[in-house]
Amino acid sequence: DLKSLFLRFTGEVVANAGLGIEGYCFEDAAGANSFYKLTGNTFTKSLVTIIILHFSSINRLLKFNFLPKSMDEFFRKVVSENLKVRRNDSTTRNDFLQLMIDMEKTGEVIDEESVSAHAVSFYIDGTETSSVTLNMIGHNLAAHPEVQEKLRKEVKSTIEKHGGLTFEALKDMTYMNPVINESQRLHSGLGFLHKMCTNEFELQGSDGLTYRIKPGTELIISVMGLHTDPKYWDNPDVYDPERFNDERKQTIEKMTFLPFGEGPRICVGMRMALLQMKACLATLLSNYKLELSPRTQVPLKMSPHYFLSEPIGGNWAYISKL
């Protein structure tokens, strides 16, 4: 199950990079200490999520919690215990908690509740969306063995050139970007963007109709609609990474490709998301081969019961050692 595999990976990365601790995501025996146990339950209640995000007046009466109580308690405990240990530890780590401790040393007052809230945000943003994107990339690589083999050759030659899987090696993998971009276009992790108007402006439709939007108006931008519109993409239902090669990507119309949003509100975690996805794919492809399993329903159809993109019936693949 590719979703399960990639959730374990992203959960482990965020546990280490965010809190400087082991996530135990690949160890089922870890039980309650495993960060993997937290995944997959944040965005499952689609109706509740819709009410929380889009009908705040209704939610003031119903008082739904976006975060499950178990996750809230887990992060409060983890942050509190680790801050106590780290404040008395001379070892310096390069993670989110260390930034908070360094700020405290300069005289800033560190509120543990705020740190816990940021840790939760760091975790959700870093695990769910990246694992969903990796899930779709894995499917497309399994469904298109020629693309997979071309990327594998680049990964192996680049790792050999740099003497290992380094940051510089990942930057040097030029075919990796088109592979990721095309998966994000064809199967967006999030099918829409939720925005709020801040300045009055007029929308003009191709049918000649106009609509004046006033500040405070909520807007829903269909990312999937833009990403699969034949007006902007030739054969939009075909997986073709070459759309994003150096030559053809110059012809892509601005604002028609929005995997991370755009403008001043673009995803702040974009660089980290891309870095962990590239590291994951490079490690996986240099050692293993992906093949589609008959359990996967092709073509993929997305479930209407999940906040992010979730294939109906799951996304299954055979993974074999090279």
Side-chain angles (χ1 to χ4, degrees):
D1 178 7
L2 291 183
K3 178 184 177 183
S4 172
L5 173 68
F6 292 129
L7 267 175
R8 290 177 187 273
F9 171 78
T10 56
E12 191 68 44
V13 169
V14 172
N16 277 269
L19 302 174
I21 62 176
E22 292 298 321
Y24 300 108
C25 294
F26 289 93
E27 300 176 31
D28 291 330
N33 292 322
S34 173
F35 268 61
Y36 176 68
K37 300 295 182 182
L38 300 174
T39 58
N41 64 353
T42 311
F43 299 121
T44 51
K45 299 177 181 177
S46 58
L47 179 58
V48 171
T49 304
I50 289 170
I51 291 174
I52 292 172
L53 293 180
H54 302 295
F55 299 96
S56 56
S57 58
I58 296 177
N59 196 47
R60 279 194 287 270
L61 297 174
L62 299 178
K63 294 181 169 42
F64 286 130
N65 290 321
F66 182 74
L67 199 67
K69 186 178 179 181
S70 59
M71 184 181 285
D72 178 52
E73 293 174 347
F74 179 89
F75 275 95
R76 288 176 187 271
K77 180 181 177 182
V78 167
V79 168
S80 178
E81 291 179 352
N82 278 276
L83 281 177
K84 287 177 184 178
V85 172
R86 301 277 284 274
R87 282 170 176 147
N88 300 311
D89 188 355
S90 59
T91 304
T92 300
R93 297 176 178 83
N94 186 20
D95 56 34
F96 168 71
L97 275 191
Q98 188 66 51
L99 291 175
M100 297 296 102
I101 293 170
D102 291 344
M103 287 175 60
E104 193 174 48
K105 290 178 181 178
T106 64
E108 292 280 347
V109 178
I110 301 300
D111 175 20
E112 283 193 10
E113 186 165 331
S114 296
V115 176
S116 298
H118 284 298
V120 169
S121 177
F122 194 91
Y123 176 78
I124 293 175
D125 294 344
T127 57
E128 295 280 353
T129 51
S130 292
S131 64
V132 166
T133 304
L134 281 168
N135 191 15
M136 298 305 173
I137 296 170
H139 169 80
N140 286 312
L141 289 174
H144 300 85
E146 72 286 354
V147 173
Q148 181 181 164
E149 186 57 31
K150 181 177 179 179
L151 181 57
R152 179 179 292 108
K153 287 180 179 178
E154 177 185 73
V155 166
K156 285 191 167 187
S157 63
T158 308
I159 289 176
E160 184 178 355
K161 172 185 172 183
H162 288 269
L165 184 58
T166 63
F167 179 70
E168 288 72 22
L170 289 176
K171 287 201 303 181
D172 206 14
M173 295 177 188
T174 55
Y175 188 57
M176 180 80 77
N177 290 326
V179 168
I180 294 174
N181 287 341
E182 179 66 349
S183 282
Q184 289 180 305
R185 182 198 67 81
L186 192 58
H187 301 112
S188 300
L190 184 63
F192 65 92
L193 296 176
H194 181 202
K195 301 293 181 181
M196 182 174 288
C197 175
T198 56
N199 294 299
E200 185 172 338
F201 73 102
E202 191 175 82
L203 277 177
Q204 294 185 338
S206 57
D207 54 4
L209 296 177
T210 60
Y211 181 77
R212 182 163 291 279
I213 301 180
K214 299 186 179 298
T217 303
E218 293 190 42
L219 305 173
I220 302 297
I221 300 171
S222 175
V223 174
M224 279 304 299
L226 287 168
H227 286 188
T228 57
D229 192 333
K231 177 181 177 182
Y232 306 116
W233 310 92
D234 293 331
N235 300 315
D237 296 328
V238 174
Y239 179 75
D240 178 16
E242 295 302 329
R243 297 179 199 273
F244 292 91
N245 63 30
D246 288 341
E247 181 181 348
R248 290 175 61 185
K249 71 180 181 181
Q250 306 301 326
T251 64
I252 297 174
E253 190 164 335
K254 191 175 181 181
M255 298 295 178
T256 60
F257 182 60
L258 304 170
F260 294 101
E262 192 52 84
R265 301 285 292 181
I266 195 171
C267 174
V268 295
M270 177 177 68
R271 292 176 65 185
M272 179 177 176
L274 288 171
L275 180 61
Q276 70 169 338
M277 288 193 293
K278 290 178 181 180
C280 177
L281 293 171
T283 303
L284 185 62
L285 292 181
S286 60
N287 294 284
Y288 298 93
K289 179 182 179 180
L290 294 172
E291 296 176 282
L292 274 187
S293 163
R295 293 183 64 177
T296 301
Q297 299 179 25
V298 181
L300 295 181
K301 292 184 179 179
M302 300 303 151
S303 170
H305 304 299
Y306 191 51
F307 189 65
L308 300 172
S309 295
E310 169 77 359
I312 295 174
N315 186 19
W316 303 85
Y318 293 117
I319 303 179
S320 53
K321 185 79 174 174
L322 291 173

